[in-house]
Amino acid sequence: QVHLVESGGGFVQAGGSLRLSCAASGSIFSIGAMGWYRQAPGKQRELVATITSGGITNYAASVKGRFAISRDNAKNTVYLQMNNLKPEDTAVYYCNAALRDRATWEFVNYWGQGTQVTVSS
């Protein structure tokens, strides 16, 4: 069994910063790409940022230059540093990780429970 546990969400004023963390635990063989997604009320879940096991990053246009994704492979943890937050960044943020199945050698997607980020104007 694998668990992704997020932390670091909260309430912040526009222009402020928050740092999200997501730690994977349990029966882990290897982890491929990790990432952050978000879902605002009434909207579909959207990609925020991803990072490969080798450190290659990808960002949504709306957060490029403001957010930074990083990971610590030794701790099976991915981070999202969010700077210059805007009210439109308000959403539930979900951690995602692709874990390689030891038996099939295929990657399986896992999701965290989500953490609320609220940005006031």
Side-chain angles (χ1 to χ4, degrees):
Q1 191 75 345
V2 174
H3 299 280
L4 299 182
V5 179
E6 298 129 334
S7 60
F11 182 93
V12 66
Q13 289 189 331
S17 298
L18 285 173
R19 188 189 193 213
L20 305 183
S21 299
C22 172
S25 63
S27 180
I28 297 172
F29 178 51
S30 71
I31 303 178
M34 303 182 80
W36 291 93
Y37 293 72
R38 67 186 181 187
Q39 187 166 18
K43 295 188 177 182
Q44 289 189 329
R45 189 174 298 188
E46 63 176 5
L47 179 147
V48 176
T50 61
I51 184 168
T52 67
S53 57
I56 297 173
T57 58
N58 179 54
Y59 295 93
S62 59
V63 306
K64 197 171 291 186
R66 299 188 296 123
F67 291 11
I69 189 170
S70 61
R71 63 190 284 172
D72 185 332
N73 291 331
K75 295 182 179 179
N76 294 330
T77 299
V78 63
Y79 306 95
L80 185 68
Q81 178 66 44
M82 304 184 293
N83 299 324
N84 190 22
L85 282 159
K86 303 176 180 181
E88 51 264 42
D89 295 318
T90 295
V92 177
Y93 283 70
Y94 296 91
C95 172
N96 173 269
L99 274 65
R100 193 183 290 280
D101 183 274
R102 188 188 302 266
T104 66
W105 207 246
E106 294 180 350
F107 282 108
V108 178
N109 262 322
Y110 289 87
W111 292 91
Q113 80 285 356
T115 184
Q116 177 70 46
V117 171
T118 303
V119 184
S120 67
S121 58

